[in-house]
Amino acid sequence: MNNVYIAGAAVHPFGKHKTLSAATLGVSAAAALLADTGVTPDAIQAGFVGSVYGGSLIAQRILQRVGVSGQPVFTVENACASGGSAANLAWQGVAAGVYDCVLVVGVENLSAFGGGTLPLTTADIEIDQGVVMPATYAMRAQRYLHETGATVADLTNVAVKNRSNGALNPRAHLRKAVTAEEVEASRPVADPFNLFHCCPNSDGAAAVLLCSEAFAKQLGRPTARIRASVVRSGQFHTSYRDMTWPDITDRTASAAYEMSGIAPADLDLVELHDAFAIAEFLHAEALGLTERGKAYRAVADGEFAIGGRVAVSPSGGLLSRGHPVGATGVTQLAEAYWQLIGTAGDIQVPNAQVALTHTTGGGIFGVDNGACSIHILTAED
Amino acid sequence: MRNETAPTGVATRVVAAEYFTHGDDGVHLRITECRNCSSRWFPPGAICSRCAGTNLTDVNSGTTGVAYASTVVRVGPPGFPAPYVLSYVDIDGVRVLAHTEGDSALTPDTPVALTLGEVGNEDGTPLVSYVARAISDGVGIQTEGDR
Ligand SMILES: [Zn+2]
């Protein structure tokens, strides 16, 4: 396989953009990427756009407006992993030598759906019983607390840490740090979660440029190398399931570590899919960042802070940066890219050399999650 | 879903009506078991989702299980006035999400019985389905249902 690089990134800042359609947000990010890199649309050989609610042909509706018109383009839907899956398909194309330069966009406008929990559009037996996404994660949290001895205060620590990071990220949706008292006083959503234990529904878009070594050299821009790109789907069954162990993250991460030859201990930063505070514990353990049942202690001890042993979600994570579903996987790659080329500003992880990005999600019954994507990236000298 | 009229004369709608039976002893889930690989499935199906085999047999669950985890939903979707309690119930080889009686979450591993109860309300019509109820002091424990 050929080496694959990220050679540019752009984000339309996340937030509530009621007056901007998903297509408009995507155009904004894609245009900024082309302007920033100086790559002309005719050099883009293919486009992959991750989106869940963007509608038919969102890839065309975005890319044709920035001159990427006529090339093969694809709309990729894989729930919360849509953006990561779009990047994976682009990576496959460059790694296989089919393309030298591919544009990846992730985009979502959730304001179009009003407030409250996200619409679950995939009818199943749990949705018929009134399940909502926070309820499923709340039950995972209850079981985790029951088995490990962690408390609600530990969940609150995650929200406080990630909101504190996001307050320094100009691209984040929620840019105000919160105290533990404010988290505990926020509106109850599903016990043991209050509102600030849950990520906000956001609008936004992100874009990254994936290219071959030859193209990257010619472009002469700072690059980060993609060492692993892996997608896995959930394993369906309706039997008993250990909900404190996200096996989909475990399986995806194992494949990514094997592909890259990189171990969890090598990571300087991780952008993790913390849709709910409990997710940082579950996935940090499945990613091998700590021993099982110990992630809550790692957070309490500052190991996951910027400047800690491994920075987890220095960009603020979903809890602060927000979660425009299809955009999340691509914005994680953008944030990791800026960390690795040393331009992350106030959220820069000191001497960041190795980064992992992780998205997982999809609220369908019978699986841990519907889809998971993981990328491992390294800095270039 | 099935429209029914309760003994009280109130029209109700049964959620997941084709997936369970209920009698004097409580609710029995309709499970299918694969004769090829022994996987158990709820809701029941004609194809095994592990081995794709089509040689499946029906199993009726018992009426009691154990709550794996539980939560109080404070913000619900249309048709489900919050707050309400949901639990994952482990019963005879399958895990089922069920509304739960009471106003607080069940402690993990609490034994529960499945009964028929109201789970929601759609434009004034009560929605009924299987509901978990905590068993105290072993009262109401049933043995596994007919195979
Ligand atoms: Zn089978």
PDB file of all heavy atoms in Angstrom, chain B residues 15-16 19 25-27 31 41 44 48-49 72 83 87-88 91-92 95 118 122 140 145:
ATOM      1  N   VAL B  15     -48.033  -2.304  21.997  1.00  0.00           N
ATOM      2  CA  VAL B  15     -46.728  -2.177  21.345  1.00  0.00           C
ATOM      3  C   VAL B  15     -46.056  -3.545  21.334  1.00  0.00           C
ATOM      4  O   VAL B  15     -46.029  -4.233  22.354  1.00  0.00           O
ATOM      5  CB  VAL B  15     -45.840  -1.157  22.095  1.00  0.00           C
ATOM      6  CG1 VAL B  15     -44.448  -1.079  21.465  1.00  0.00           C
ATOM      7  CG2 VAL B  15     -46.499   0.208  22.106  1.00  0.00           C
ATOM      8  N   ALA B  16     -45.536  -3.959  20.200  1.00  0.00           N
ATOM      9  CA  ALA B  16     -44.821  -5.239  20.062  1.00  0.00           C
ATOM     10  C   ALA B  16     -45.751  -6.429  20.320  1.00  0.00           C
ATOM     11  O   ALA B  16     -45.324  -7.474  20.809  1.00  0.00           O
ATOM     12  CB  ALA B  16     -43.598  -5.300  20.981  1.00  0.00           C
ATOM     13  N   TYR B  19     -44.908 -10.057  19.579  1.00  0.00           N
ATOM     14  CA  TYR B  19     -43.663 -10.601  20.133  1.00  0.00           C
ATOM     15  C   TYR B  19     -43.829 -11.199  21.526  1.00  0.00           C
ATOM     16  O   TYR B  19     -42.848 -11.629  22.123  1.00  0.00           O
ATOM     17  CB  TYR B  19     -42.580  -9.519  20.196  1.00  0.00           C
ATOM     18  CG  TYR B  19     -42.238  -8.910  18.860  1.00  0.00           C
ATOM     19  CD1 TYR B  19     -41.833  -7.582  18.762  1.00  0.00           C
ATOM     20  CD2 TYR B  19     -42.311  -9.662  17.683  1.00  0.00           C
ATOM     21  CE1 TYR B  19     -41.506  -7.015  17.542  1.00  0.00           C
ATOM     22  CE2 TYR B  19     -41.994  -9.100  16.458  1.00  0.00           C
ATOM     23  CZ  TYR B  19     -41.598  -7.779  16.385  1.00  0.00           C
ATOM     24  OH  TYR B  19     -41.271  -7.224  15.181  1.00  0.00           O
ATOM     25  N   ASP B  25     -50.167 -15.618  34.732  1.00  0.00           N
ATOM     26  CA  ASP B  25     -48.875 -15.648  35.422  1.00  0.00           C
ATOM     27  C   ASP B  25     -47.946 -14.527  34.969  1.00  0.00           C
ATOM     28  O   ASP B  25     -46.866 -14.360  35.519  1.00  0.00           O
ATOM     29  CB  ASP B  25     -48.186 -17.008  35.207  1.00  0.00           C
ATOM     30  CG  ASP B  25     -47.965 -17.306  33.727  1.00  0.00           C
ATOM     31  OD1 ASP B  25     -48.642 -16.669  32.877  1.00  0.00           O
ATOM     32  OD2 ASP B  25     -47.111 -18.147  33.405  1.00  0.00           O
ATOM     33  N   GLY B  26     -48.328 -13.747  33.959  1.00  0.00           N
ATOM     34  CA  GLY B  26     -47.479 -12.644  33.489  1.00  0.00           C
ATOM     35  C   GLY B  26     -47.216 -12.735  32.000  1.00  0.00           C
ATOM     36  O   GLY B  26     -47.944 -13.394  31.257  1.00  0.00           O
ATOM     37  N   VAL B  27     -46.155 -12.078  31.582  1.00  0.00           N
ATOM     38  CA  VAL B  27     -45.830 -11.980  30.155  1.00  0.00           C
ATOM     39  C   VAL B  27     -44.754 -13.001  29.780  1.00  0.00           C
ATOM     40  O   VAL B  27     -43.778 -13.181  30.497  1.00  0.00           O
ATOM     41  CB  VAL B  27     -45.344 -10.555  29.823  1.00  0.00           C
ATOM     42  CG1 VAL B  27     -44.599 -10.524  28.498  1.00  0.00           C
ATOM     43  CG2 VAL B  27     -46.516  -9.581  29.793  1.00  0.00           C
ATOM     44  N   ILE B  31     -39.462 -15.995  21.877  1.00  0.00           N
ATOM     45  CA  ILE B  31     -38.060 -16.051  21.484  1.00  0.00           C
ATOM     46  C   ILE B  31     -37.932 -17.102  20.384  1.00  0.00           C
ATOM     47  O   ILE B  31     -38.700 -18.071  20.363  1.00  0.00           O
ATOM     48  CB  ILE B  31     -37.193 -16.463  22.701  1.00  0.00           C
ATOM     49  CG1 ILE B  31     -37.291 -15.409  23.804  1.00  0.00           C
ATOM     50  CG2 ILE B  31     -35.746 -16.707  22.306  1.00  0.00           C
ATOM     51  CD1 ILE B  31     -36.690 -15.856  25.131  1.00  0.00           C
ATOM     52  N   TRP B  41     -32.954 -15.392  19.789  1.00  0.00           N
ATOM     53  CA  TRP B  41     -33.269 -14.092  19.207  1.00  0.00           C
ATOM     54  C   TRP B  41     -34.579 -13.539  19.731  1.00  0.00           C
ATOM     55  O   TRP B  41     -35.574 -14.233  19.825  1.00  0.00           O
ATOM     56  CB  TRP B  41     -33.338 -14.203  17.670  1.00  0.00           C
ATOM     57  CG  TRP B  41     -32.071 -14.740  17.099  1.00  0.00           C
ATOM     58  CD1 TRP B  41     -31.815 -16.025  16.703  1.00  0.00           C
ATOM     59  CD2 TRP B  41     -30.844 -14.024  16.906  1.00  0.00           C
ATOM     60  NE1 TRP B  41     -30.517 -16.147  16.260  1.00  0.00           N
ATOM     61  CE2 TRP B  41     -29.898 -14.926  16.381  1.00  0.00           C
ATOM     62  CE3 TRP B  41     -30.467 -12.697  17.122  1.00  0.00           C
ATOM     63  CZ2 TRP B  41     -28.597 -14.546  16.070  1.00  0.00           C
ATOM     64  CZ3 TRP B  41     -29.164 -12.327  16.814  1.00  0.00           C
ATOM     65  CH2 TRP B  41     -28.250 -13.245  16.297  1.00  0.00           C
ATOM     66  N   PRO B  44     -38.551 -12.507  17.716  1.00  0.00           N
ATOM     67  CA  PRO B  44     -38.380 -13.748  16.970  1.00  0.00           C
ATOM     68  C   PRO B  44     -38.216 -13.474  15.480  1.00  0.00           C
ATOM     69  O   PRO B  44     -38.651 -12.446  14.983  1.00  0.00           O
ATOM     70  CB  PRO B  44     -39.678 -14.511  17.235  1.00  0.00           C
ATOM     71  CG  PRO B  44     -40.678 -13.464  17.596  1.00  0.00           C
ATOM     72  CD  PRO B  44     -39.907 -12.370  18.280  1.00  0.00           C
ATOM     73  N   CYS B  48     -31.761 -17.105  11.241  1.00  0.00           N
ATOM     74  CA  CYS B  48     -30.789 -16.875  12.309  1.00  0.00           C
ATOM     75  C   CYS B  48     -29.819 -15.779  11.870  1.00  0.00           C
ATOM     76  O   CYS B  48     -29.201 -15.891  10.816  1.00  0.00           O
ATOM     77  CB  CYS B  48     -30.026 -18.158  12.635  1.00  0.00           C
ATOM     78  SG  CYS B  48     -28.733 -17.876  13.879  1.00  0.00           S
ATOM     79  N   SER B  49     -29.680 -14.751  12.708  1.00  0.00           N
ATOM     80  CA  SER B  49     -28.803 -13.633  12.342  1.00  0.00           C
ATOM     81  C   SER B  49     -27.342 -13.910  12.655  1.00  0.00           C
ATOM     82  O   SER B  49     -26.508 -13.027  12.495  1.00  0.00           O
ATOM     83  CB  SER B  49     -29.261 -12.353  13.044  1.00  0.00           C
ATOM     84  OG  SER B  49     -30.563 -12.018  12.643  1.00  0.00           O
ATOM     85  N   VAL B  72     -33.826   6.506  34.564  1.00  0.00           N
ATOM     86  CA  VAL B  72     -35.046   7.302  34.495  1.00  0.00           C
ATOM     87  C   VAL B  72     -34.875   8.289  33.352  1.00  0.00           C
ATOM     88  O   VAL B  72     -33.967   9.120  33.378  1.00  0.00           O
ATOM     89  CB  VAL B  72     -35.311   8.080  35.802  1.00  0.00           C
ATOM     90  CG1 VAL B  72     -36.649   8.813  35.707  1.00  0.00           C
ATOM     91  CG2 VAL B  72     -35.281   7.150  36.997  1.00  0.00           C
ATOM     92  N   PRO B  83     -41.321  11.860  33.344  1.00  0.00           N
ATOM     93  CA  PRO B  83     -40.277  10.842  33.427  1.00  0.00           C
ATOM     94  C   PRO B  83     -40.834   9.417  33.355  1.00  0.00           C
ATOM     95  O   PRO B  83     -41.984   9.192  33.704  1.00  0.00           O
ATOM     96  CB  PRO B  83     -39.658  11.105  34.804  1.00  0.00           C
ATOM     97  CG  PRO B  83     -40.777  11.646  35.616  1.00  0.00           C
ATOM     98  CD  PRO B  83     -41.641  12.435  34.657  1.00  0.00           C
ATOM     99  N   SER B  87     -35.417  -0.255  31.619  1.00  0.00           N
ATOM    100  CA  SER B  87     -34.391  -1.194  32.066  1.00  0.00           C
ATOM    101  C   SER B  87     -34.072  -2.164  30.950  1.00  0.00           C
ATOM    102  O   SER B  87     -34.943  -2.493  30.138  1.00  0.00           O
ATOM    103  CB  SER B  87     -34.867  -2.002  33.280  1.00  0.00           C
ATOM    104  OG  SER B  87     -35.271  -1.159  34.331  1.00  0.00           O
ATOM    105  N   TYR B  88     -32.820  -2.616  30.920  1.00  0.00           N
ATOM    106  CA  TYR B  88     -32.470  -3.778  30.117  1.00  0.00           C
ATOM    107  C   TYR B  88     -32.660  -5.003  30.997  1.00  0.00           C
ATOM    108  O   TYR B  88     -32.065  -5.097  32.084  1.00  0.00           O
ATOM    109  CB  TYR B  88     -31.025  -3.699  29.623  1.00  0.00           C
ATOM    110  CG  TYR B  88     -30.879  -2.894  28.348  1.00  0.00           C
ATOM    111  CD1 TYR B  88     -30.134  -1.735  28.319  1.00  0.00           C
ATOM    112  CD2 TYR B  88     -31.509  -3.317  27.178  1.00  0.00           C
ATOM    113  CE1 TYR B  88     -30.002  -1.000  27.143  1.00  0.00           C
ATOM    114  CE2 TYR B  88     -31.378  -2.597  26.001  1.00  0.00           C
ATOM    115  CZ  TYR B  88     -30.630  -1.441  25.991  1.00  0.00           C
ATOM    116  OH  TYR B  88     -30.511  -0.724  24.827  1.00  0.00           O
ATOM    117  N   ILE B  91     -33.383 -12.195  30.225  1.00  0.00           N
ATOM    118  CA  ILE B  91     -34.384 -13.214  30.496  1.00  0.00           C
ATOM    119  C   ILE B  91     -34.216 -14.375  29.511  1.00  0.00           C
ATOM    120  O   ILE B  91     -34.310 -14.187  28.303  1.00  0.00           O
ATOM    121  CB  ILE B  91     -35.816 -12.603  30.450  1.00  0.00           C
ATOM    122  CG1 ILE B  91     -36.888 -13.646  30.691  1.00  0.00           C
ATOM    123  CG2 ILE B  91     -36.070 -11.835  29.154  1.00  0.00           C
ATOM    124  CD1 ILE B  91     -38.259 -13.046  31.006  1.00  0.00           C
ATOM    125  N   ASP B  92     -33.899 -15.529  30.026  1.00  0.00           N
ATOM    126  CA  ASP B  92     -33.826 -16.769  29.249  1.00  0.00           C
ATOM    127  C   ASP B  92     -33.006 -16.615  27.966  1.00  0.00           C
ATOM    128  O   ASP B  92     -33.406 -17.070  26.891  1.00  0.00           O
ATOM    129  CB  ASP B  92     -35.239 -17.269  28.926  1.00  0.00           C
ATOM    130  CG  ASP B  92     -35.972 -17.704  30.194  1.00  0.00           C
ATOM    131  OD1 ASP B  92     -35.290 -18.032  31.184  1.00  0.00           O
ATOM    132  OD2 ASP B  92     -37.209 -17.684  30.204  1.00  0.00           O
ATOM    133  N   ARG B  95     -31.787 -10.292  25.881  1.00  0.00           N
ATOM    134  CA  ARG B  95     -31.879  -9.028  26.628  1.00  0.00           C
ATOM    135  C   ARG B  95     -32.937  -8.169  25.972  1.00  0.00           C
ATOM    136  O   ARG B  95     -32.920  -7.955  24.757  1.00  0.00           O
ATOM    137  CB  ARG B  95     -30.544  -8.284  26.637  1.00  0.00           C
ATOM    138  CG  ARG B  95     -30.639  -6.934  27.351  1.00  0.00           C
ATOM    139  CD  ARG B  95     -29.282  -6.326  27.607  1.00  0.00           C
ATOM    140  NE  ARG B  95     -28.530  -7.137  28.557  1.00  0.00           N
ATOM    141  CZ  ARG B  95     -27.223  -6.981  28.788  1.00  0.00           C
ATOM    142  NH1 ARG B  95     -26.553  -6.064  28.138  1.00  0.00           N
ATOM    143  NH2 ARG B  95     -26.599  -7.738  29.666  1.00  0.00           N
ATOM    144  N   GLU B 118     -48.842  -0.043  31.081  1.00  0.00           N
ATOM    145  CA  GLU B 118     -48.849   1.101  30.183  1.00  0.00           C
ATOM    146  C   GLU B 118     -47.421   1.603  29.989  1.00  0.00           C
ATOM    147  O   GLU B 118     -46.657   1.737  30.941  1.00  0.00           O
ATOM    148  CB  GLU B 118     -49.726   2.214  30.772  1.00  0.00           C
ATOM    149  CG  GLU B 118     -50.029   3.306  29.767  1.00  0.00           C
ATOM    150  CD  GLU B 118     -51.164   4.226  30.234  1.00  0.00           C
ATOM    151  OE1 GLU B 118     -52.149   3.714  30.811  1.00  0.00           O
ATOM    152  OE2 GLU B 118     -51.043   5.441  30.009  1.00  0.00           O
ATOM    153  N   GLU B 122     -50.406   7.824  23.174  1.00  0.00           N
ATOM    154  CA  GLU B 122     -50.347   8.451  21.868  1.00  0.00           C
ATOM    155  C   GLU B 122     -51.679   9.147  21.590  1.00  0.00           C
ATOM    156  O   GLU B 122     -52.687   8.487  21.353  1.00  0.00           O
ATOM    157  CB  GLU B 122     -50.058   7.383  20.805  1.00  0.00           C
ATOM    158  CG  GLU B 122     -49.360   7.908  19.572  1.00  0.00           C
ATOM    159  CD  GLU B 122     -48.838   6.768  18.718  1.00  0.00           C
ATOM    160  OE1 GLU B 122     -49.645   5.890  18.370  1.00  0.00           O
ATOM    161  OE2 GLU B 122     -47.625   6.772  18.412  1.00  0.00           O
ATOM    162  N   GLY B 140     -43.415 -14.043  43.428  1.00  0.00           N
ATOM    163  CA  GLY B 140     -43.725 -13.969  42.013  1.00  0.00           C
ATOM    164  C   GLY B 140     -42.713 -14.650  41.126  1.00  0.00           C
ATOM    165  O   GLY B 140     -42.803 -14.560  39.914  1.00  0.00           O
ATOM    166  N   GLY B 145     -40.485 -20.931  31.228  1.00  0.00           N
ATOM    167  CA  GLY B 145     -41.734 -21.306  30.580  1.00  0.00           C
ATOM    168  C   GLY B 145     -41.623 -22.537  29.702  1.00  0.00           C
ATOM    169  O   GLY B 145     -40.559 -23.125  29.560  1.00  0.00           O
TER     170      GLY B 145
END
